Amino acid sequence: MLLNCTAGVASVEALASAAAEDLDGKVLLDVANPLDFSHGMPPTLTIAGDDSLGETLQRTFPQARVVKGLNTVNAHVMVDPARVPGEHVVYLCGNDEAAKGRVEELLRSFGWREIVDLGDISGARGTEGVLPLWVRLMGVLGTADFNFQIRRA
Ligand SMILES: NC(=O)c1ccc[n+]([C@@H]2O[C@H](COP(=O)([O-])OP(=O)(O)OC[C@H]3O[C@@H](n4cnc5c(N)ncnc54)[C@H](OP(=O)(O)O)[C@@H]3O)[C@@H](O)[C@H]2O)c1
């Protein structure tokens, strides 16, 4: 499994520098967010609305099996969800079911319990789209150790 942990604005360029065979058939867990910090804080999304970075990567590198995940939590929480008390959620999306299964196994090994599969890679529009809210919350709460929780009726 490969992880894309590059700056979202540079992810296409970064992955293009890999040899094509290095991406061929590989599960690519994309944790990046297409955030532009060039005008200071707060950052803005460079891809939004009817597209996402996850979709851009899948389109640009069709030989890879892109799974979007973990991009909605801080890096420490990604690998140690118990830093945030109680139940809280992590999302997955991607076009390849087996690839999502591999990523789900990885997430469970980190301790994630509430893993929501949002379907195909266009689900990344939503998970990337919450970043302006996430950044705002970090400022208000004064910590990056937080996450969203879903409550069903
Ligand atoms: N940090 C978090 O808590 C967190 C949480 C969720 C999602 N993410 C996402 O994860 C990604 C990495 O986050 P970060 O906090 O580690 O960001 P960062 O400290 O800014 O690191 C960005 C990385 O991208 C690389 N990079 C930039 N331009 C590149 C290019 N043209 N080619 C190859 N590599 C390039 C940088 O390499 P050099 O150092 O060599 O320039 C660096 O390793 C981002 O997309 C971010 O949105 C981060």
Side-chain angles (χ1 to χ4, degrees), residues 29-110:
L29 173 54
D30 173 32
V31 311
N33 286 304
L35 295 175
D36 178 7
F37 291 89
S38 64
H39 301 292
M41 289 292 282
T44 54
L45 288 167
T46 58
I47 311 174
D50 62 356
D51 201 4
S52 61
L53 177 62
E55 290 167 277
T56 302
L57 295 182
Q58 186 61 86
R59 262 198 318 275
T60 312
F61 307 102
Q63 70 275 36
R65 300 149 73 198
V66 179
V67 178
K68 190 88 200 185
L70 289 175
N71 64 303
T72 53
V73 290
N74 172 260
H76 298 289
V77 177
M78 287 181 189
V79 294
D80 184 11
R83 287 173 74 97
V84 178
E87 290 302 315
H88 51 99
V89 69
V90 69
Y91 309 102
L92 286 185
C93 62
N95 299 343
D96 186 307
E97 296 301 321
K100 284 191 284 192
R102 293 266 311 280
V103 172
E104 184 171 340
E105 273 174 37
L106 178 71
L107 299 189
R108 293 210 182 277
S109 78
F110 293 153

